[in-house]
Structures are given as C-alpha cells and as structure tokens.
Amino acid sequence: MRLALRQLRQAIDRYKLYNDQSNGTAIPIEWKTPTGYPKELKLLVDGFTPANVVGTSEARVRFLRRLPIDPLTGTTEWGMRSYKDKQIRRPGEAKTYSMSTPRATA
C-alpha cells in the first residue's frame, strides 16, 4: 500500500510542478483547476497534449503508466480522503483513541 500511495503522490506532485512551472498555460482549459492539482487521477495516466505546444506533434504529457491497485478494494478506484475527515470505523475494528480523548473508566 505504501508503494501505491507513494506512486500516486509523486505523480500528483509532478503534475502540480508542471502546472506551476508553466504558470498553468500548458494545461488544457478543460483540465485546469484553481489549485493546480489534477481534476481526476485518470488524467495522470491518459495525459494530455499541452495547450501551449504548436505543431503537428501529438506528444502527450503523462505522469503515470497505470493507476496502482488500491489494496483495500482490489481495484484502481481510489477514494478521496483528507486528514481532516472524520475517522470511519468499520464493524469489528478496534476503537482508536487520540491522546486528547479521555478514556471512560468503570
């Protein structure tokens, strides 16, 4: 899982760097976002023809060869989570405590 997450993170970072270095002019208008990050992970694999390239070359800019498989779902469909998201506990999982949450004593 660490390898899959690292590959995704590095591809997203390379996309963001590409966007920042070109001041957003190389990203086609349909894929631009205000933050400079990709709209979907599929864009990292499919790539795009840079908007500021003139000529007959159909060279596409790609950041990943393929989406890594999510080890939790067994598919290439990755969900979006933030560290700010509320923790989801599945039935049967042990309860986790944070350092700031006092534990109930009986």
Side-chain angles (χ1 to χ4, degrees):
M1 182 164 176
R2 284 186 193 166
L3 179 62
L5 288 174
R6 185 178 306 127
Q7 289 172 341
L8 280 177
R9 184 73 247 174
Q10 287 174 345
I12 291 168
D13 289 344
R14 284 193 305 270
Y15 178 94
K16 173 72 168 139
L17 181 65
Y18 182 82
N19 179 68
D20 291 348
Q21 287 178 340
S22 69
N23 291 326
T25 59
I27 309 295
I29 193 83
E30 64 269 14
W31 294 111
K32 280 189 183 183
T33 61
T35 61
Y37 288 99
K39 282 186 178 183
E40 0 178 298
L41 294 177
K42 189 173 184 261
L43 176 63
L44 300 174
V45 177
D46 294 345
F48 55 86
T49 303
N52 59 356
V53 173
V54 178
T56 59
S57 172
E58 286 295 319
R60 297 177 75 77
V61 178
R62 292 182 177 92
F63 301 93
L64 269 177
R65 289 184 181 179
R66 66 184 178 282
L67 281 176
I69 293 176
D70 181 353
L72 298 178
T73 64
T75 68
T76 58
E77 294 296 319
W78 288 79
M80 290 178 51
R81 292 246 354 235
S82 169
Y83 69 94
K84 295 179 182 179
D85 291 346
K86 188 174 183 178
Q87 185 173 357
I88 299 170
R89 207 176 93 220
R90 294 181 180 97
E93 285 185 352
K95 183 170 182 175
T96 58
Y97 297 94
S98 69
M99 295 302 282
S100 62
T101 306
R103 296 171 80 177
T105 56

